[in-house]
Amino acid sequence: SLMMIGIVTAIVGDMAGLLGCVIGMPDEITAITLVALGTSLPDTFASKTAAMQDPNADASIGNVTGSNSVNVFLGLGLPWFIGAIYWSNNWEAQMGKWLTHRVGKKTYEEEYLPDYPDGGFMVPAGSLAFSVAVFTTCAVLCIGLLLLRRAFCGGELGGSSPQKELSAVFLVF
């Protein structure tokens, strides 16, 4: 089943990249919206099932925060790890491409060669910090809301109509 998840994820990623290319959407936005949505929907349904079966919804909250954290850390760490291994094994063949690659107005040779004379796998900073900051802020706000609901409403989910509707509006926006 893990192999099938990997295959479907690769297909979703390729299709999202093609759709983003066709409509002129940058890769960062495509990854944040379409691919994240496609990989998180199964976790959403699992969390819904857990929330309906658990009286205090702890399992569903753990599932949501855990799966999103794994998506972020494995989704970034594993490709970077594979990229680092690839570059260390293929440095001689890729050195010319690496030296002429541009970061802003400078080439890697101008920017990185003095500090990294043997080359290497580089991931220049970009919009990643913003994405991680948004994720962390949203996670802290959501966990704060759940703690407030536990303290004042007697549980994380459900409750009276105004409470659950206000919580839903807060979590959606």
Side-chain angles (χ1 to χ4, degrees):
S1 95
L2 285 177
M3 186 184 312
M4 192 62 183
I5 291 171
I7 291 169
V8 170
T9 302
I11 292 170
V12 167
D14 287 345
M15 291 297 136
L18 291 173
L19 177 65
C21 181
V22 168
I23 62 175
M25 185 184 296
D27 287 340
E28 294 85 7
I29 304 300
T30 303
I32 290 171
T33 55
L34 301 176
V35 175
L37 178 67
T39 57
S40 296
L41 276 178
D43 295 327
T44 303
F45 294 123
S47 295
K48 179 184 178 222
T49 303
M52 292 171 67
Q53 294 175 354
D54 190 10
N56 58 10
D58 287 342
S60 63
I61 298 199
N63 183 41
V64 169
T65 55
S67 67
N68 283 322
S69 298
V70 167
N71 285 346
V72 169
F73 298 126
L74 279 181
L76 294 175
L78 193 59
W80 288 352
F81 178 70
I82 292 169
I85 290 172
Y86 172 82
W87 275 97
S88 68
N89 290 331
N90 296 300
W91 170 242
E92 296 300 324
Q94 300 291 332
M95 183 172 64
K97 187 188 293 185
W98 187 86
L99 291 172
T100 58
H101 188 78
R102 292 198 164 278
V103 176
K105 296 181 180 183
K106 292 184 176 182
T107 63
Y108 270 24
E109 182 175 14
E110 297 165 339
E111 184 73 23
Y112 297 116
L113 196 60
D115 294 329
Y116 302 97
D118 296 330
F121 178 66
M122 300 289 176
V123 181
S127 61
L128 180 63
F130 175 75
S131 299
V132 171
V134 168
F135 169 76
T136 303
T137 302
C138 289
V140 167
L141 288 173
C142 290
I143 290 171
L145 173 69
L146 296 173
L147 290 173
L148 286 172
R149 284 189 52 84
R150 181 178 278 185
F152 295 108
C153 303
E156 291 84 8
L157 302 175
S160 66
S161 187
Q163 293 170 343
K164 67 182 176 184
E165 290 166 359
L166 287 173
S167 295
V169 168
F170 177 80
L171 292 172
V172 169
F173 296 106

PDB file of all heavy atoms in Angstrom, residues 29-43:
ATOM      1  N   ILE A  29       3.369  27.927  -5.267  1.00  0.00           N
ATOM      2  CA  ILE A  29       1.926  28.016  -5.012  1.00  0.00           C
ATOM      3  C   ILE A  29       1.253  26.694  -5.352  1.00  0.00           C
ATOM      4  O   ILE A  29       0.380  26.216  -4.622  1.00  0.00           O
ATOM      5  CB  ILE A  29       1.295  29.171  -5.825  1.00  0.00           C
ATOM      6  CG1 ILE A  29       1.986  30.496  -5.518  1.00  0.00           C
ATOM      7  CG2 ILE A  29      -0.200  29.263  -5.573  1.00  0.00           C
ATOM      8  CD1 ILE A  29       1.923  30.924  -4.081  1.00  0.00           C
ATOM      9  N   THR A  30       1.678  26.079  -6.453  1.00  0.00           N
ATOM     10  CA  THR A  30       1.126  24.778  -6.836  1.00  0.00           C
ATOM     11  C   THR A  30       1.376  23.753  -5.737  1.00  0.00           C
ATOM     12  O   THR A  30       0.481  22.998  -5.358  1.00  0.00           O
ATOM     13  CB  THR A  30       1.742  24.288  -8.158  1.00  0.00           C
ATOM     14  OG1 THR A  30       1.515  25.275  -9.168  1.00  0.00           O
ATOM     15  CG2 THR A  30       1.146  22.978  -8.600  1.00  0.00           C
ATOM     16  N   ALA A  31       2.588  23.739  -5.205  1.00  0.00           N
ATOM     17  CA  ALA A  31       2.924  22.771  -4.161  1.00  0.00           C
ATOM     18  C   ALA A  31       2.121  23.019  -2.895  1.00  0.00           C
ATOM     19  O   ALA A  31       1.621  22.077  -2.280  1.00  0.00           O
ATOM     20  CB  ALA A  31       4.420  22.837  -3.856  1.00  0.00           C
ATOM     21  N   ILE A  32       1.990  24.279  -2.523  1.00  0.00           N
ATOM     22  CA  ILE A  32       1.293  24.593  -1.277  1.00  0.00           C
ATOM     23  C   ILE A  32      -0.190  24.252  -1.378  1.00  0.00           C
ATOM     24  O   ILE A  32      -0.785  23.756  -0.436  1.00  0.00           O
ATOM     25  CB  ILE A  32       1.496  26.076  -0.911  1.00  0.00           C
ATOM     26  CG1 ILE A  32       2.936  26.314  -0.486  1.00  0.00           C
ATOM     27  CG2 ILE A  32       0.549  26.510   0.193  1.00  0.00           C
ATOM     28  CD1 ILE A  32       3.293  27.758  -0.308  1.00  0.00           C
ATOM     29  N   THR A  33      -0.798  24.504  -2.529  1.00  0.00           N
ATOM     30  CA  THR A  33      -2.243  24.320  -2.632  1.00  0.00           C
ATOM     31  C   THR A  33      -2.616  22.945  -3.148  1.00  0.00           C
ATOM     32  O   THR A  33      -3.180  22.135  -2.416  1.00  0.00           O
ATOM     33  CB  THR A  33      -2.863  25.409  -3.522  1.00  0.00           C
ATOM     34  OG1 THR A  33      -2.199  25.400  -4.791  1.00  0.00           O
ATOM     35  CG2 THR A  33      -2.750  26.764  -2.897  1.00  0.00           C
ATOM     36  N   LEU A  34      -2.304  22.651  -4.385  1.00  0.00           N
ATOM     37  CA  LEU A  34      -2.814  21.440  -5.019  1.00  0.00           C
ATOM     38  C   LEU A  34      -2.205  20.159  -4.457  1.00  0.00           C
ATOM     39  O   LEU A  34      -2.918  19.223  -4.105  1.00  0.00           O
ATOM     40  CB  LEU A  34      -2.590  21.513  -6.533  1.00  0.00           C
ATOM     41  CG  LEU A  34      -3.245  22.698  -7.235  1.00  0.00           C
ATOM     42  CD1 LEU A  34      -2.870  22.727  -8.700  1.00  0.00           C
ATOM     43  CD2 LEU A  34      -4.744  22.663  -7.061  1.00  0.00           C
ATOM     44  N   VAL A  35      -0.876  20.113  -4.378  1.00  0.00           N
ATOM     45  CA  VAL A  35      -0.237  18.885  -3.895  1.00  0.00           C
ATOM     46  C   VAL A  35      -0.524  18.678  -2.414  1.00  0.00           C
ATOM     47  O   VAL A  35      -0.818  17.560  -1.980  1.00  0.00           O
ATOM     48  CB  VAL A  35       1.284  18.918  -4.180  1.00  0.00           C
ATOM     49  CG1 VAL A  35       1.973  17.710  -3.587  1.00  0.00           C
ATOM     50  CG2 VAL A  35       1.528  18.973  -5.685  1.00  0.00           C
ATOM     51  N   ALA A  36      -0.483  19.735  -1.617  1.00  0.00           N
ATOM     52  CA  ALA A  36      -0.790  19.605  -0.194  1.00  0.00           C
ATOM     53  C   ALA A  36      -2.222  19.127   0.009  1.00  0.00           C
ATOM     54  O   ALA A  36      -2.493  18.278   0.861  1.00  0.00           O
ATOM     55  CB  ALA A  36      -0.560  20.934   0.513  1.00  0.00           C
ATOM     56  N   LEU A  37      -3.130  19.652  -0.786  1.00  0.00           N
ATOM     57  CA  LEU A  37      -4.521  19.224  -0.689  1.00  0.00           C
ATOM     58  C   LEU A  37      -4.657  17.743  -1.030  1.00  0.00           C
ATOM     59  O   LEU A  37      -5.306  16.976  -0.323  1.00  0.00           O
ATOM     60  CB  LEU A  37      -5.403  20.063  -1.609  1.00  0.00           C
ATOM     61  CG  LEU A  37      -6.880  19.696  -1.646  1.00  0.00           C
ATOM     62  CD1 LEU A  37      -7.507  19.998  -0.293  1.00  0.00           C
ATOM     63  CD2 LEU A  37      -7.580  20.460  -2.740  1.00  0.00           C
ATOM     64  N   GLY A  38      -4.013  17.320  -2.107  1.00  0.00           N
ATOM     65  CA  GLY A  38      -4.113  15.922  -2.540  1.00  0.00           C
ATOM     66  C   GLY A  38      -3.500  14.941  -1.560  1.00  0.00           C
ATOM     67  O   GLY A  38      -3.996  13.825  -1.400  1.00  0.00           O
ATOM     68  N   THR A  39      -2.446  15.351  -0.888  1.00  0.00           N
ATOM     69  CA  THR A  39      -1.821  14.434   0.065  1.00  0.00           C
ATOM     70  C   THR A  39      -2.469  14.497   1.442  1.00  0.00           C
ATOM     71  O   THR A  39      -2.294  13.587   2.239  1.00  0.00           O
ATOM     72  CB  THR A  39      -0.306  14.712   0.200  1.00  0.00           C
ATOM     73  OG1 THR A  39      -0.118  16.069   0.600  1.00  0.00           O
ATOM     74  CG2 THR A  39       0.408  14.457  -1.106  1.00  0.00           C
ATOM     75  N   SER A  40      -3.213  15.562   1.737  1.00  0.00           N
ATOM     76  CA  SER A  40      -3.827  15.704   3.057  1.00  0.00           C
ATOM     77  C   SER A  40      -5.262  15.214   3.122  1.00  0.00           C
ATOM     78  O   SER A  40      -5.778  15.000   4.220  1.00  0.00           O
ATOM     79  CB  SER A  40      -3.781  17.163   3.502  1.00  0.00           C
ATOM     80  OG  SER A  40      -2.448  17.570   3.662  1.00  0.00           O
ATOM     81  N   LEU A  41      -5.925  15.052   1.999  1.00  0.00           N
ATOM     82  CA  LEU A  41      -7.324  14.617   2.037  1.00  0.00           C
ATOM     83  C   LEU A  41      -7.511  13.260   2.716  1.00  0.00           C
ATOM     84  O   LEU A  41      -8.434  13.113   3.514  1.00  0.00           O
ATOM     85  CB  LEU A  41      -7.919  14.604   0.629  1.00  0.00           C
ATOM     86  CG  LEU A  41      -8.435  15.952   0.141  1.00  0.00           C
ATOM     87  CD1 LEU A  41      -8.967  15.839  -1.272  1.00  0.00           C
ATOM     88  CD2 LEU A  41      -9.486  16.520   1.053  1.00  0.00           C
ATOM     89  N   PRO A  42      -6.671  12.251   2.439  1.00  0.00           N
ATOM     90  CA  PRO A  42      -6.859  10.980   3.161  1.00  0.00           C
ATOM     91  C   PRO A  42      -6.723  11.143   4.675  1.00  0.00           C
ATOM     92  O   PRO A  42      -7.475  10.526   5.432  1.00  0.00           O
ATOM     93  CB  PRO A  42      -5.751  10.078   2.606  1.00  0.00           C
ATOM     94  CG  PRO A  42      -5.422  10.651   1.279  1.00  0.00           C
ATOM     95  CD  PRO A  42      -5.639  12.132   1.409  1.00  0.00           C
ATOM     96  N   ASP A  43      -5.800  11.999   5.113  1.00  0.00           N
ATOM     97  CA  ASP A  43      -5.655  12.253   6.549  1.00  0.00           C
ATOM     98  C   ASP A  43      -6.890  12.946   7.116  1.00  0.00           C
ATOM     99  O   ASP A  43      -7.280  12.710   8.254  1.00  0.00           O
ATOM    100  CB  ASP A  43      -4.416  13.119   6.813  1.00  0.00           C
ATOM    101  CG  ASP A  43      -3.139  12.402   6.445  1.00  0.00           C
ATOM    102  OD1 ASP A  43      -3.098  11.166   6.603  1.00  0.00           O
ATOM    103  OD2 ASP A  43      -2.199  13.068   5.994  1.00  0.00           O
TER     104      ASP A  43
END
